[in-house]
Amino acid sequence: MPRIAYVSGRYIPHADAGVHIEDRGFQFADSVYEVVALVNGRLCDEVGHLDRLVRSLGELRIKVPMPRKSMEMALREMVRRNRIKNGMIYMQVTRGVAPRDFVFPKKSDTTLVMTMYPAKYDIPARKAAVKKVITVPDIRWKRRDIKTTALIGQVLAKQAAADKGAYEAWMVDDDGFITEGSSSNAWIIDKNRNLITRATANNSILKGVTRSALQALCKKEKIKIIERKFTVAEAYKAQEAFCSSAVALIAPVVQIDDKKIGNGQAGEITCKLLDLYMEYATKNGGKQERWNPA
Ligand code: PDD
């Protein structure tokens, strides 16, 4: 079964899909993206991801490539053509093709591409697959609220993690506080069972859609979340820790640098949150109220 990609209106075999060499996404990373999980045939948190895509485009003054309904239809057509029940959809929108010039082109059509990959959502396996993270300096630009494809800072951070046999790199700001993971939000649970994650103020992190969904679930379950900055030293002392993203969902962390977290297994609260999230994702497709960028 060949994989199918989408390139600006056309569904093409993955191996043949491409964009122009003067696409601004290629030359300037002048583009934004989203990753949406497909869980049991349902697009997880689709509303939140499409809301954020439109917001990111607006922040960069890139045209929205098509009406919302058409985007929803194209996503479903990707699922149908790829015949995947559990996986990920990657969507990227660029400012389009134009002769290389830093200034926005007067006229260009946005490029929209989508690719799809299979994934497994085996919950016991995910709980067992405990992760190590390392800390690295956060060397990125200041608009981390925009989900741009200018990801070289994150690429270097993730490679530093991979070099040390770790799953993720938690990036640290100039004041010693953790911002987020290279491709996920960072969470710790302290000895008083407080769930702590950095606030999205000052555009210092990406407002994760999974993070927002978790916040809503915790509110329902009366689990308190404290949104505040935390230091590396505090993270070392955490009882539990995890990463959240559309790809990781909720990934238990049991080691930060050389410090063990908890008893080496996924923590109790982390497991409960993963169960809650999966129930939400599989039962109603993670249908979310409108995602709030504030
Ligand atoms: N990354 N922070 C960063 C820097 C991210 O790149 C991501 C997601 C998140 C979590 O956001 P969400 O819950 O909406 O996936 C936080 C995606 C998955 C990626 O780049 O592959």
Side-chain angles (χ1 to χ4, degrees):
M1 177 66 207
R3 281 167 59 203
I4 303 296
Y6 174 95
V7 184
S8 296
R10 295 167 61 217
Y11 296 90
I12 320 176
H14 191 95
D16 303 332
V19 293
H20 195 277
I21 55 166
E22 285 196 311
D23 192 290
R24 292 179 64 95
F26 177 61
Q27 289 191 326
F28 295 114
D30 189 0
S31 72
V32 302
Y33 77 108
E34 283 297 327
V35 180
V36 186
L38 181 80
V39 180
N40 212 10
R42 297 163 195 263
L43 292 162
C44 192
D45 285 324
E46 179 188 13
V47 176
H49 286 289
L50 289 181
D51 282 355
R52 189 174 59 190
L53 182 71
V54 169
R55 178 183 183 273
S56 295
L57 289 168
E59 292 300 303
L60 299 182
R61 293 159 57 196
I62 299 177
K63 270 185 300 187
V64 177
M66 57 175 71
R68 177 81 169 226
K69 263 262 144 314
S70 310
M71 243 184 305
E72 290 168 2
M73 280 165 62
L75 278 168
R76 280 160 187 72
E77 191 57 17
M78 277 293 282
V79 173
R80 194 184 71 77
R81 289 189 189 231
N82 281 285
R83 296 194 203 162
I84 288 177
K85 209 172 157 205
N86 289 292
M88 313 292 320
I89 298 189
Y90 172 80
M91 345 172 43
Q92 180 177 348
V93 181
T94 85
R95 203 183 299 276
V97 178
R100 187 175 183 276
D101 184 352
F102 284 71
V103 175
F104 298 168
K106 290 224 163 31
K107 256 187 73 179
S108 71
D109 289 328
T110 52
T111 305
L112 167 61
V113 301
M114 288 193 261
T115 48
M116 195 162 186
Y117 306 82
K120 282 208 179 88
Y121 298 104
D122 175 339
I123 303 313
R126 282 185 182 244
K127 286 180 186 167
V130 291
K131 314 283 189 203
K132 178 176 151 184
V133 307
I134 61 160
T135 57
V136 295
D138 195 334
I139 61 167
R140 298 174 299 160
W141 77 325
K142 292 182 182 158
R143 289 300 308 273
R144 299 154 189 171
D145 57 312
I146 305 171
K147 199 162 173 59
T148 106
T149 60
L151 291 170
I152 192 64
Q154 282 105 309
V155 165
L156 295 177
K158 189 76 103 183
Q159 186 58 43
D163 290 344
K164 291 196 169 151
Y167 164 77
E168 180 60 300
W170 281 5
M171 298 176 285
V172 181
D173 68 18
D174 292 346
D175 301 318
F177 293 95
I178 288 167
T179 52
E180 61 187 328
S182 66
S183 64
S184 58
N185 288 118
W187 302 69
I188 56 167
I189 296 161
D190 71 9
K191 64 175 184 331
N192 301 319
R193 298 169 74 82
N194 291 316
L195 196 49
I196 303 167
T197 195
R198 189 171 174 127
T200 53
N202 305 325
N203 304 325
S204 66
I205 61 166
L206 182 74
K207 184 169 183 175
V209 172
T210 319
R211 177 187 181 280
S212 300
L214 269 181
Q215 281 179 307
L217 285 171
C218 285
K219 203 166 168 194
K220 254 204 214 148
E221 295 290 319
K222 305 211 168 19
I223 301 171
K224 201 171 155 214
I225 296 180
I226 303 173
E227 278 187 276
R228 67 160 175 84
K229 298 196 273 196
F230 55 93
T231 61
V232 175
E234 235 183 308
Y236 287 162
K237 283 195 233 125
Q239 297 300 294
E240 297 184 30
F242 64 90
C243 304
S244 72
S245 79
V247 172
L249 302 181
I250 293 158
V253 170
V254 297
Q255 188 177 332
I256 303 172
D257 295 325
D258 56 358
K259 301 283 183 304
K260 292 264 179 279
I261 306 298
N263 64 2
Q265 287 176 355
E268 173 207 329
I269 299 175
T270 305
C271 289
K272 178 169 176 172
L273 292 176
L274 180 54
D275 289 337
L276 281 172
Y277 188 80
M278 287 315 289
E279 193 191 337
Y280 153 82
T282 45
K283 292 237 168 96
N284 64 4
K287 275 203 192 342
Q288 212 185 25
E289 291 135 49
R290 287 217 99 69
W291 177 83
N292 172 12

